[in-house]
Amino acid sequence: MKIGIIGSGNMGRSLGILWAEQGHQVFFGSRDAEKGKAVAKLAERGTQGGTNDEAAAFADVILWTVRGIMPSELLSNPEALNGKIIIDCNNQEIPEGFAYPPIIESLAEKLAKDVPKARVVKAFNTMAQEVFELAPEPLRDYGVSVFVAGDDEQARKTVMQLAEDIGFLPIDSGILRNARLVEGLGDFIRLIIIGQQQGVYATISVNILPAAQDQR
């Protein structure tokens, strides 16, 4: 697939390189075109780099890694996202004492309001960036779940396949409203990682016990 990375920080760089290793066409975007090109050189697999606008125009699937900034603020032509799948991997800032307010509207829902003709999917927000360094092997052996929520069923399936490509266990989490729950999981895992000092390799997995399967 043609994948555009909007914001080539740690998360975007890690996922983009993994997808490039699996044969996908990846364009790393940045506000600074030279930074996008520099990240593309790290991938060494025919990836491209440049501006965020160029990444948006290039791709069929967009990984949106810039937290709190909407396409209408960042892109000169937000309509370039119309009809495309946008993966939102962001979580809110960590408040003092991990005292999170209730999630009345998820970050993914806010993103969808800004680009109503795009297909927004929530995913990849429930693990630390360091986990991606394990992918795809031996990550498949660990069964680490990626929770995927979005209103467009085909978009969800596409993102689930992209998660599976790099070794994760995708979990269909239903409609985009459920991103509120998925973002809550992201808040919880950061409490475990940072607040409870379990470290960056703490993850969340959904497993069905063999005994339960036998009873079906």
Side-chain angles (χ1 to χ4, degrees):
M1 299 199 69
K2 298 173 71 174
I3 302 172
I5 310 295
I6 303 294
S8 296
N10 290 338
M11 184 70 76
R13 181 179 66 250
S14 296
L15 277 169
I17 289 174
L18 286 172
W19 283 324
E21 289 174 346
Q22 298 305 310
H24 296 288
Q25 300 177 57
V26 179
F27 193 112
F28 292 94
S30 176
R31 293 181 183 182
D32 179 357
E34 292 307 311
K35 180 181 178 181
K37 292 176 182 178
V39 175
K41 287 181 180 179
L42 290 175
E44 298 180 345
R45 291 180 180 271
T47 58
Q48 302 178 60
T51 66
N52 288 323
D53 282 325
E54 290 173 323
F58 167 85
D60 299 315
V61 177
I62 307 289
L63 178 68
W64 192 267
T65 73
V66 285
R67 177 169 53 196
I69 302 176
M70 296 292 108
S72 59
E73 302 172 87
L74 186 65
L75 302 178
S76 61
N77 180 30
E79 288 76 18
L81 302 179
N82 288 354
K84 298 183 178 183
I85 298 171
I86 305 179
I87 305 171
D88 175 36
C89 64
N90 294 294
N91 292 308
Q92 61 181 310
E93 296 283 353
I94 299 175
E96 184 176 355
F98 293 88
Y100 292 102
I103 298 176
I104 305 301
E105 183 179 41
S106 67
L107 298 175
E109 289 172 290
K110 293 176 182 177
L111 181 60
K113 280 185 177 180
D114 194 69
V115 281
K117 294 183 180 180
R119 298 181 286 166
V120 173
V121 175
K122 189 75 188 186
F124 299 106
N125 69 305
T126 55
M127 69 282 294
Q129 176 266 332
E130 287 84 356
V131 172
F132 298 120
E133 297 172 3
L134 304 175
E137 301 292 351
L139 192 59
R140 288 188 175 94
D141 297 331
Y142 301 146
V144 179
S145 297
V146 168
F147 302 91
V148 182
D151 289 336
D152 187 294
E153 182 179 1
Q154 187 55 53
R156 288 202 311 273
K157 288 181 178 179
T158 297
V159 175
M160 290 172 69
Q161 183 60 58
L162 288 174
E164 190 172 341
D165 285 348
I166 55 176
F168 288 99
L169 175 66
I171 303 296
D172 190 334
S173 303
I175 62 175
L176 191 62
R177 187 184 188 279
N178 294 339
R180 304 174 194 181
L181 303 175
V182 176
E183 290 182 11
L185 279 178
D187 295 339
F188 174 73
I189 194 61
R190 289 186 297 166
L191 167 66
I192 296 300
I193 290 170
I194 302 169
Q196 300 304 111
Q197 300 180 358
Q198 294 298 309
V200 295
Y201 295 109
T203 58
I204 297 176
S205 299
V206 172
N207 295 304
I208 298 176
L209 300 179
Q213 291 178 323
D214 293 341
Q215 293 172 8
R216 288 186 172 182

